[in-house]
Amino acid sequence: MSRSIRVAISGGGLAGASLLHALLNFPHLDVHVFESAAAFKEAGMAIGLTRNAQAALDLTSPSAAQLLQRAGAVPMRGVRFMIAQSEGQGEVIDEIDDITAGKRLTSIVHRAAYLKELLAGVPQERMHASKKLDKVDRNDDGSIMLHFADGTTHECDILIGADGIHSAVRKLILGDDLAAQPRNSVPHLEFPSFFPRIPLFPLKTTLIYVNTSYHLN
């Protein structure tokens, strides 16, 4: 009998937890997630999952829609795109609603609530907090040895970086390459994490501002 494929996910936020939730469905995978913080938690306000993202989640797990529902997700009924900077500033360039599209456009959900649901059924031995990735070595047999700041190690066959815009995995793999550096972020669209959690309610229309100099990461 062949041994399991050992998969390590660096980053226990929404991306890492979503991937973990999906991969646990495959018994031939030995999956572990490593989070640099002392606990698995999300900061910030709500996020929007477009219908493409929801379709992708449905492919990863049949329970994806149930997770969103349990996390308190609500629908966003319409989206309006408006130019924020450059020529034509303030001009509405597109608009769509769920009636015209014939389906839900976006679901809005609190980050922390969704992360809690994603990790609710995960065995504790698969989740490792306070594990800041410090170094990655390739063994002679092709396996990968992860070295953490606390002095511990973990051996795997596949390492997946889900550790955000300032990814340690990206930097360790690519070094000083420009591709390892975060680019074209939009600071004024980032929500601070000190806002209190408030109840969500269905949104009729949301504005998305676009300019020619940046894109959303």
Side-chain angles (χ1 to χ4, degrees):
M1 183 177 178
S2 59
R3 68 173 178 84
S4 299
I5 299 173
R6 300 166 298 177
V7 180
I9 302 171
S10 178
L14 289 181
S18 296
L19 181 59
L20 175 67
H21 184 79
L23 296 184
L24 285 175
N25 293 314
F26 299 92
H28 67 287
L29 300 180
D30 179 20
V31 190
H32 293 257
V33 62
F34 299 88
E35 168 59 40
S36 61
F40 287 80
K41 61 181 181 179
E42 271 285 357
M45 298 181 71
I47 60 168
L49 295 173
T50 65
R51 63 173 181 259
N52 288 342
Q54 292 177 65
L57 286 174
D58 288 339
L59 291 174
T60 65
S61 171
S63 63
Q66 298 173 10
L67 292 178
L68 280 173
Q69 185 177 11
R70 290 202 299 266
V74 298
M76 184 172 71
R77 301 299 186 188
V79 180
R80 181 179 298 160
F81 294 87
M82 180 179 291
I83 298 178
Q85 297 180 17
S86 189
E87 184 178 353
Q89 181 175 353
E91 178 184 349
V92 176
I93 57 176
D94 196 12
E95 184 172 4
I96 190 170
D97 58 71
D98 57 348
I99 296 176
T100 303
K103 59 183 71 176
R104 176 180 289 194
L105 298 177
T106 300
S107 285
I108 309 297
V109 65
H110 280 293
R111 292 172 178 267
Y114 188 42
L115 180 65
K116 180 180 178 180
E117 292 299 330
L118 283 169
L119 297 177
V122 177
Q124 289 298 312
E125 64 269 18
R126 302 293 187 103
M127 300 165 54
H128 310 272
S130 298
K131 296 297 179 182
K132 183 178 180 181
L133 189 61
D134 186 56
K135 181 183 177 184
V136 176
D137 287 329
R138 174 76 72 173
N139 298 325
D140 292 338
D141 62 357
S143 62
I144 302 168
M145 184 65 72
L146 310 181
H147 299 262
F148 300 100
D150 63 358
T152 60
T153 60
H154 180 83
E155 190 175 58
C156 62
D157 302 303
I158 299 172
L159 170 62
I160 301 173
D163 46 352
I165 189 172
H166 300 288
S167 170
V169 173
R170 188 187 303 117
K171 187 172 183 180
L172 288 170
I173 299 300
L174 298 179
D176 294 328
D177 192 291
L178 287 177
Q181 307 303 318
R183 299 178 296 164
N184 296 340
S185 60
V186 188
H188 61 277
L189 289 182
E190 297 176 359
F191 291 105
S193 61
F194 53 78
F195 280 100
R197 179 176 170 180
I198 58 176
L200 294 177
F201 54 89
L203 301 177
K204 184 176 181 180
T205 302
T206 293
L207 288 175
I208 296 181
Y209 292 98
V210 181
N211 67 44
T212 58
S213 303
Y214 298 98
H215 66 269
L216 299 179
N217 287 318

